[in-house]
Amino acid sequence: MSVVKINALRIPEGAGIELEARFAARKHAVDSAPGFEGFQLLRPTAGEMRYFVITTWASEADFQAWRSTRTPHAPAGPGSPTLTTQSDLLEFEVVDLAD
């Protein structure tokens, strides 16, 4: 059963362009992780201020294995600030409606 992890990111006003550029610079960094199925970065529009980073994994074990081996996100370079002011992880299982 696939699992979906949504990282809800709060960033300072006006920092969206920089956040998107940082994700674009490493957009395929997780592609080769075992069990990785997909990635989306959602930009907020009406009624929401957070960015959502959505990843889909074949299993919880695959996600946990990747998470245990990754290095924390660092600023883009010397003097670059950390953009995220708050991060909340939302976790879901994909419901198989055929059963």
Side-chain angles (χ1 to χ4, degrees):
M1 167 183 335
S2 292
V3 296
V4 175
K5 306 298 178 172
I6 302 173
N7 199 355
L9 306 177
R10 291 190 189 278
I11 62 171
E13 188 173 336
I17 293 171
E18 176 65 21
L19 180 76
E20 292 175 27
R22 290 183 188 187
F23 271 98
R26 43 189 318 276
K27 68 180 179 180
H28 295 292
V30 71
D31 289 1
S32 63
F36 175 75
E37 296 180 345
F39 169 89
Q40 291 180 305
L41 177 63
L42 303 184
R43 177 188 304 129
T45 58
E48 182 60 61
M49 299 304 294
R50 298 174 294 175
Y51 272 80
F52 288 88
V53 180
I54 301 173
T55 56
T56 305
W57 299 85
S59 70
E60 180 67 23
D62 289 325
F63 171 73
Q64 293 299 333
W66 168 79
R67 191 175 192 188
S68 71
T69 61
R70 74 180 187 95
T71 56
H73 296 305
S80 296
T82 300
L83 292 179
T84 304
T85 60
Q86 180 181 347
S87 175
D88 299 307
L89 182 63
L90 310 172
E91 303 180 84
F92 301 89
E93 291 180 340
V94 176
V95 177
D96 183 358
L97 298 176
D99 290 340

